[in-house]
């Protein structure tokens, strides 16, 4: 079995394709996960779907068969032709899959290098699959280690500090265009996590913020979380607001455009609309004095961000590579530890059996039983010390699987596969 990751991101697909691939509906995602796990070669699965990427993280006994089956089912779900998807998909196998996953978790593969939302989104995706029973020990191990890697990158670099998200990038672009933001109104459509980040960055940049949402209670609750005044406007006034404010940023989870030619008014002043939702919230609209930016249009600021963070990124990539190698070493050690444990357990069973038989036949006195047991255990411990140490060294070598299999067969040892809780990573519970 190998780890398999199929990736569609801003690196290999444009926003038109990504919005077709996005899993914004939990029911659709659940159905898709069930469908791909129905394939005999695909075991365990997590789907990460964000505005910039769709990642399918699985285990597979046949990479070629699983890849084709998964992409076919993505094609069925999205309506995008199989050949087009297969050509665009980045398919990662085993060590490549683990390295890619760690890179994604550490925000090194993001549109904005170092953005802080991705690890939380990955944790949410993992928790969903775990709660549904779609992933087990092997995915649990690699995901927990990915979170550990992300924490290592955050602790060793400054990539996670400052304003590094699609929301902050949109606000930075707006501020660059507007210049002096004092007294400039900015409208935020939506009241979710991305909208909250957007409001924070707008306020920090000096904009006067208005929030509107279909869910007015949620919008008001969001506005109330800020120490400075944030206005809340009824969603019914959206058209009027669009004709009054120069800056608008929308980040809803609507499956279709909420702003079209029918509700987009003309204005005599310059307006700048930022659509950071996938699927897009803004339809193709051509109006005078209006500039619309989608996620992909923010690439210039992203490029500047990457340039400034290049040295930090080098350090981060070296951490990812090191953690990827350590992960596989750790997996090998997990294979060795049950073998060593079972060798000692098997020896203890033999000692107990022979002790009982010797007492029964009168070869030893009952009052000497404990001392003789300790002597036998001392002999076994000393005898197995060198082989146990050598086994742990073998875990670093390519022949590990062969050696472990041979020892298990020779000594009649069983596999100890229930280790997911014992080796559960503490980073899962941390944000």
């Amino acid at each position: 079995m190998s780890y398999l990751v199929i990736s569609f991101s801003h690196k290999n697909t444009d926003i038109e394709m990504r919005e077709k691939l996005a899993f914004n509906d939990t029911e659709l995602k659940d159905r898709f996960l069930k469908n791909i796990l129905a394939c005999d070669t695909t075991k365990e699965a997590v789907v990460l779907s964000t505005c910039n990427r769709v990642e399918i993280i699985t285990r597979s006994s046949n990479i070629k068969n699983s890849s084709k089956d998964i992409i076919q089912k993505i094609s069925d779900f999205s309506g995008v032709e199989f050949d087009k998807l297969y050509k665009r998909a980045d398919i990662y196998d085993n060590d490549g899959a683990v390295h890619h996953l760690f890179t994604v978790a550490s925000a090194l593969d993001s549109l904005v290098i170092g953005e802080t939302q991705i690890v939380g989104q990955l944790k949410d995706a993992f928790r969903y699959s775990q709660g549904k029973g779609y992933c087990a020990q092997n995915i649990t191990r690699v995901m927990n280690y990915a979170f550990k890697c992300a924490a290592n990158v955050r602790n060793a670099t400054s990539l996670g500090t400052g304003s590094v998200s699609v929301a902050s990038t949109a606000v930075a672009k707006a501020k660059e265009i507007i210049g002096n933001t004092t007294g400039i109104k900015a409208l935020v459509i939506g009241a979710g996590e991305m909208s909250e980040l957007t409001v924070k960055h707008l306020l920090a940049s000096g904009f006067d913020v208005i929030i509107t949402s279909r869910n007015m209670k949620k919008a008001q609750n969001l506005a109330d979380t800020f120490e400075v005044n944030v206005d809340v406007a009824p969603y019914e006034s959206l058209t009027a607001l669009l004709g009054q404010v120069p800056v608008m940023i929308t980040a809803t989870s609507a499956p279709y455009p909420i702003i079209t030619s029918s509700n987009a008014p003309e204005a005599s002043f310059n307006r700048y609309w930022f659509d950071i939702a996938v699927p897009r919230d803004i339809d193709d609209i051509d109006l005078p004095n209006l500039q619309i930016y989608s996620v992909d249009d923010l690439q210039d600021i992203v490029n500047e961000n990457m340039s400034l963070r290049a040295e930090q990124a080098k350090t981060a990539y070296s951490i990812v590579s090191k953690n990827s190698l350590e992960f596989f070493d750790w997996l090998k050690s997990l294979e060795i530890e049950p073998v060593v444990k079972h060798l000692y357990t098997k020896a203890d069973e033999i000692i107990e059996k022979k002790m009982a038989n010797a007492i029964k036949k009168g070869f030893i006195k009952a009052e000497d039983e404990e001392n003789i047991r300790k002597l036998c255990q001392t002999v076994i411990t000393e005898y197995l010390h060198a082989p146990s140490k050598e086994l742990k060294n073998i875990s670093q070598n390519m022949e590990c699987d062969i050696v472990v299999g041979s020892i298990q067969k020779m000594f009649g040892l069983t596999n100890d596969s229930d280790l997911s809780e014992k080796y559960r990573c503490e980073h899962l519970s941390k944000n």
Side-chain angles (χ1 to χ4, degrees), residues 74-305:
I74 295 174
S75 175
D76 296 340
F77 156 76
S78 64
V80 180
E81 294 178 4
F82 171 87
D83 290 341
K84 191 173 182 180
L85 287 173
Y86 195 79
K87 183 179 179 181
R88 294 291 187 98
D90 287 328
I91 301 173
Y92 300 93
D93 173 15
N94 217 35
D95 55 344
V98 170
H99 189 276
H100 175 71
L101 177 61
F102 288 8
T103 302
V104 170
S106 302
L108 297 176
D109 197 61
S110 298
L111 180 68
V112 182
I113 299 296
E115 57 97 356
T116 54
Q117 284 72 51
I118 188 65
V119 69
Q121 292 166 331
L122 187 59
K123 285 181 179 180
D124 289 342
F126 169 54
R127 288 192 183 106
Y128 178 83
S129 281
Q130 193 177 49
K132 290 284 188 175
Y134 299 147
C135 63
Q137 176 178 275
N138 292 296
I139 291 293
T140 296
R141 286 174 173 171
V142 75
M143 294 298 285
N144 286 334
Y145 220 96
F147 303 142
K148 176 183 175 182
C149 178
N152 289 339
V153 169
R154 286 197 305 271
N155 292 334
T157 71
S158 60
L159 290 175
T161 61
S163 299
V164 283
S165 65
V166 174
S168 67
T169 304
V171 173
K173 184 67 176 178
K175 187 175 181 180
E176 176 188 315
I177 294 169
I178 298 296
N180 184 2
T181 59
T182 304
I184 301 297
K185 292 185 180 297
L187 173 66
V188 175
I189 305 176
E193 181 182 355
M194 192 65 77
S195 296
E196 180 180 0
L197 286 169
T198 302
V199 174
K200 286 181 180 178
H201 292 303
L202 285 169
L203 292 173
S205 296
F207 287 93
D208 293 336
V209 180
I210 305 170
I211 301 175
T212 188
S213 171
R214 292 183 188 276
N215 188 330
M216 289 298 295
K217 182 178 179 180
K218 193 174 180 181
Q220 188 61 59
N221 288 339
L222 174 58
D224 291 341
T225 63
F226 297 99
E227 294 181 1
V228 299
N229 179 64
V230 175
D231 292 329
V232 177
Y235 191 78
E236 292 73 21
S237 63
L238 176 60
T239 299
L241 289 168
L242 292 174
Q244 296 168 1
V245 298
V247 174
M248 184 277 290
I249 302 178
T250 179
T252 78
S253 58
Y256 49 81
I258 61 172
I259 302 173
T260 64
S261 298
S262 62
N263 67 345
E266 292 190 15
S268 59
F269 57 92
N270 291 329
R271 290 175 297 171
Y272 307 95
W273 293 355
F274 296 86
D275 189 349
I276 58 175
V278 176
R280 287 173 293 178
D281 282 341
I282 305 175
D283 205 355
D284 293 328
I285 301 170
D286 185 15
L287 288 175
N289 305 317
L290 174 63
Q291 182 68 48
I292 300 174
Y293 298 88
S294 69
V295 169
D296 289 358
D297 295 322
L298 303 174
Q299 193 65 49
D300 54 343
I301 293 179
V302 171
N303 291 339
E304 181 182 353
N305 174 279

Side-chain angles (χ1 to χ4, degrees), residues 10-68:
H10 60 95
K11 290 186 174 181
N12 59 12
T13 55
D14 56 23
I15 192 168
E16 286 82 6
M17 180 177 287
R18 293 203 304 277
E19 61 188 5
K20 292 177 182 177
L21 302 180
F23 290 90
N24 293 314
D25 186 287
T26 302
E27 185 178 339
L28 287 176
K29 181 170 76 170
D30 187 70
R31 193 184 312 153
F32 175 76
L33 282 163
K34 287 179 179 176
N35 285 343
I36 64 174
L37 289 173
C39 177
D40 292 338
T41 61
T42 304
K43 308 297 179 185
E44 305 184 51
V46 171
V47 171
L48 170 66
S49 179
T50 74
C51 60
N52 286 318
R53 65 180 60 253
V54 171
E55 307 275 345
I56 297 91
I57 304 151
T58 71
R59 289 272 290 176
S60 172
S61 59
N62 187 307
I63 295 298
K64 185 176 181 181
N65 288 353
S66 289
S67 298
K68 287 187 175 180

